[in-house]
Amino acid sequence: MKLITIIMPYYRKIDYVNRAIKSVINQTYKKFELIIVYDDQNFEDYHKIKKFIADNKKIRIIKNKKNIGAGKSRNIGIKNSNGNIITFIDSDD
């Protein structure tokens, strides 16, 4: 089975992100890593997300130093991926 990297840029969607993360976790294919690229200078949501994913080793967060947008955040996720296949999900999906 190949490792799939799922990249999720995040910017101020706290009301939706936990549901999006759960949808990834609940997939039947279990060989994945989820990279959340946190693209907000306000870190209040960062701490909430970090707490939500604390026990899941398949999920990691990368913090951008400043807001750079979803496209560039996806590229950062790609550079930090380990998967054979890369896919994307938005934080409000």
Side-chain angles (χ1 to χ4, degrees):
M1 292 176 63
K2 294 185 178 201
L3 178 66
I4 295 177
T5 299
I6 304 153
I7 299 169
M8 178 189 295
Y10 177 84
Y11 181 77
R12 299 185 184 177
K13 299 289 185 185
I14 197 66
D15 293 336
Y16 305 99
V17 70
N18 289 352
R19 191 165 28 175
I21 293 168
K22 284 180 188 176
S23 76
V24 171
I25 293 169
N26 291 330
Q27 296 298 311
T28 56
Y29 192 87
K30 297 298 182 186
K31 192 167 181 185
F32 70 87
E33 65 176 352
L34 173 60
I35 300 173
I36 301 169
V37 184
Y38 191 87
D39 191 36
D40 192 351
Q41 292 173 317
N42 178 343
F43 293 109
E44 182 179 332
D45 291 353
Y46 172 82
H47 298 294
K48 291 176 184 177
I49 296 168
K50 192 80 170 161
K51 185 177 179 181
F52 183 74
I53 65 166
D55 295 334
N56 196 319
K57 303 216 184 295
K58 293 182 176 187
I59 305 172
R60 58 190 161 119
I61 300 179
I62 299 169
K63 289 190 291 187
N64 291 340
K65 293 180 181 172
K66 63 179 184 172
N67 180 259
I68 59 173
K72 289 182 180 179
S73 293
R74 285 184 186 98
N75 288 338
I76 288 170
I78 291 168
K79 288 177 187 173
N80 287 277
S81 68
N82 297 310
N84 305 95
I85 299 168
I86 297 174
T87 189
F88 305 99
I89 186 171
D90 290 327
S91 58
D92 60 352
D93 282 351

